[in-house]
Amino acid sequence: MFKFKRMAAATLVAAALALAGCSTGGGAGETGSGSEGGTLTWGVIAQASTFQQKDMRWANESPYGQAVYDSLLITNPDFEVEPNLATKWEYNSDNTVLTLTLRDDVTFTNGETMTAKDAAASLLAFRDGSSPNKSLLRFVSDAKAVDDTTLEITLSEPDPGLLTAITQNAGLVAPADKVDDPATATDPVGSGPYILNTSETVVGSSYVFDKNKDYWNPDHQHYDKLILQVYNAAPALLSAVQGGQVNVSNVIDRTTLPQMKAAGYTLNESQLDWQGFLIMDRAGTIVPALGNVKVRQAINMALDREALLKAIGSGYGEVTDQIFAPWSAGYDKKLDTHYKYDVTGAKKLLAEAGYPDGFEVTMPRVGSIPAAQWTLMADQLSQIGITVKYDDVQPADFISAILGAKYAMTWFQLQMGPTDWQLAQFQIAEQATWNPFHYTTPEVQDWIATIQTGTEDEAAAAGKELNTYLVENAWNAPFYRPTQVFVSDANTQVKTQVGNVVPYLWNVQPK
């Protein structure tokens, strides 16, 4: 086994969100065991990019949106779609028109009653806004109010991911006359369970919310006050946990988990992402060697995934060779271990591909990820003669450099799914955001089309065939699925959320 020196773990999301300075904030609210009310202090690792509905982000920023807005639908912790603002929904025969029936008892914080006109305006504003998730609504050609409680969404083609999309930021609803109001970026108008307290909020550091006393769904209100306290550095977050200053929190550095557990916090685990090498230049446009499937397979065989998980992920995770999520229809457990760690075999494949002496590849490197991690990954490939050179880029430019097709391959961490269709549209399809070289094959296109328009059984079968093809043809070289950890104190219980990095707001409550 290739030997590694244990190194401090770090996640890309923490690196991308790192800012100058940090805040330890105030003490966590006392809620009392088994009681509602009091204050929930939640440690977050991302400040709010904006509160304007059309530009809202999700994932680590989802608590901000769920505090002040309602979504058309919601998903339970097992990722099953359930009613929310919409009480029922139905597609037409060819799945190009979705009709939703909305509640008639929802009031915005400006006193206006929510109607289908507001929902339609919000959908179109988000589709045309600047959220990085705006593509969730790319197939929405129109949205209109049939009457006050009937919303009709017209699609240019079927979208199996639409219902899921409108449980997230794409489905947040603001008043129609506020969707383009820039003032809502800092003073939002929504119908959510909480109201942003702008006088107590310190932008970039601590966001304070008061209970919305007129909220239509009190079952989703477990506290009188919510504080989202921003932490940008692992030491500050650890100090806050050890000092009991937060009730619940994300985790920046997994090596601090034993100390958090020793402080009396529960480690709530889930999986969301895969981490490893994105091999994007599958046609060999920049690096001709990567256009050969045997070369890509050799890269996979050169990876000691168990050692990488221990060294980079502190052992929190599961090794895998696939990017499909365990909860998805296309997942195949056997594909987790398709490639065996075999340096000799990898060298043989390279020789068969015409590269007996290896080749050189340049990848981007960001300074906020520990230097030892970059060295570690380069060492893995050097075993079979592949020389890695790094271009140092700024954290703010890392993603744009990758998506600009400047590099043939890179290390990264990406979300799995949450469904086969959404995974394909995000990472696999010809125009997918994370397929910057727009590489595809007829087989891949056919399977994606079946996932889009086939029956449930046909789509599931196509997902499995697609997954097998991607692994066997080494479209990427995953290391492992990192375990996401969300900590909670002795007075707070949480239910982790399939498909999201943090629990949904209403699933965090007093014990």
Side-chain angles (χ1 to χ4, degrees), residues 211-488:
K211 182 177 181 179
N212 180 358
K213 296 179 180 179
D214 297 322
Y215 189 53
W216 64 274
N217 187 9
D219 288 343
H220 279 186
Q221 292 176 301
H222 304 301
Y223 299 91
D224 293 332
K225 179 167 286 197
L226 168 67
I227 300 174
L228 299 179
Q229 189 74 41
V230 181
Y231 295 93
N232 304 308
L237 178 56
L238 175 59
S239 177
V241 169
Q242 291 177 319
Q245 296 173 295
V246 294
N247 299 108
V248 297
S249 181
N250 292 70
V251 174
I252 296 175
D253 182 351
R254 289 184 181 87
T255 63
T256 63
L257 289 174
Q259 294 163 281
M260 292 182 174
K261 188 174 182 179
Y265 282 69
T266 298
L267 310 185
N268 304 281
E269 299 182 354
S270 62
Q271 289 185 339
L272 177 69
D273 303 325
W274 70 272
Q275 182 179 136
F277 289 135
L278 277 71
I279 306 176
M280 301 172 289
D281 187 14
R282 303 171 193 117
T285 306
I286 296 177
V287 179
L290 294 178
N292 191 308
V293 65
K294 290 186 177 180
V295 171
R296 302 195 302 269
Q297 291 169 339
I299 290 173
N300 275 272
M301 292 170 64
L303 300 176
D304 187 346
R305 290 176 169 82
E306 292 285 357
L308 286 166
L309 174 59
K310 182 178 180 181
I312 300 175
S314 298
Y316 288 93
E318 297 176 344
V319 297
T320 188
D321 299 342
Q322 63 186 310
I323 66 174
F324 279 63
W327 61 80
S328 71
Y331 174 76
D332 184 346
K333 186 173 179 59
K334 295 190 299 293
L335 295 176
D336 281 336
T337 54
H338 180 79
Y339 292 100
K340 304 301 182 184
Y341 175 50
D342 183 357
V343 172
T344 301
K347 288 180 177 179
K348 182 180 178 182
L349 278 179
L350 279 183
E352 292 174 358
Y355 298 93
D357 299 321
F359 59 93
E360 181 179 291
V361 62
T362 300
M363 297 195 293
R365 175 174 62 187
V366 64
S368 46
I369 299 297
Q373 178 172 329
W374 301 110
T375 301
L376 190 94
M377 294 186 293
D379 286 347
Q380 289 275 275
L381 298 184
S382 71
Q383 297 177 97
I384 61 172
I386 299 176
T387 300
V388 176
K389 290 192 174 180
Y390 288 116
D391 280 349
D392 291 314
V393 300
Q394 295 298 315
D397 300 326
F398 189 46
I399 293 177
S400 60
I402 296 170
L403 298 184
K406 183 178 179 181
Y407 298 97
M409 61 183 289
T410 184
W411 168 85
F412 207 71
Q413 183 167 311
L414 280 175
Q415 183 173 342
M416 303 179 295
T419 65
D420 291 351
W421 167 253
Q422 288 170 302
L423 175 69
Q425 295 304 303
F426 187 50
Q427 302 178 43
I428 302 168
E430 186 174 10
Q431 298 303 320
T433 300
W434 288 94
N435 184 7
F437 286 81
H438 306 301
Y439 179 79
T440 191
T441 67
E443 301 99 318
V444 167
Q445 291 176 315
D446 288 345
W447 285 317
I448 292 176
T450 300
I451 292 172
Q452 180 181 18
T453 61
T455 64
E456 184 175 346
D457 288 343
E458 290 170 340
K464 288 186 180 297
E465 292 183 89
L466 174 61
N467 189 11
T468 300
Y469 178 90
L470 298 180
V471 173
E472 291 180 347
N473 287 273
W475 272 39
N476 295 294
F479 300 168
Y480 55 84
R481 291 185 291 267
T483 298
Q484 308 290 335
V485 181
F486 187 81
V487 299
S488 55

Side-chain angles (χ1 to χ4, degrees), residues 37-79:
T39 299
L40 173 67
T41 301
W42 181 321
V44 294
I45 61 174
Q47 68 180 75
S49 301
T50 181
F51 279 98
Q52 190 165 12
Q53 171 271 335
K54 68 176 184 176
D55 300 328
M56 290 294 292
R57 300 188 179 190
W58 206 241
N60 282 299
E61 294 189 36
S62 56
Y64 298 106
Q66 291 178 334
V68 298
Y69 293 108
D70 279 310
S71 55
L72 288 168
L73 300 172
I74 59 173
T75 53
N76 64 23
D78 294 324
F79 207 63

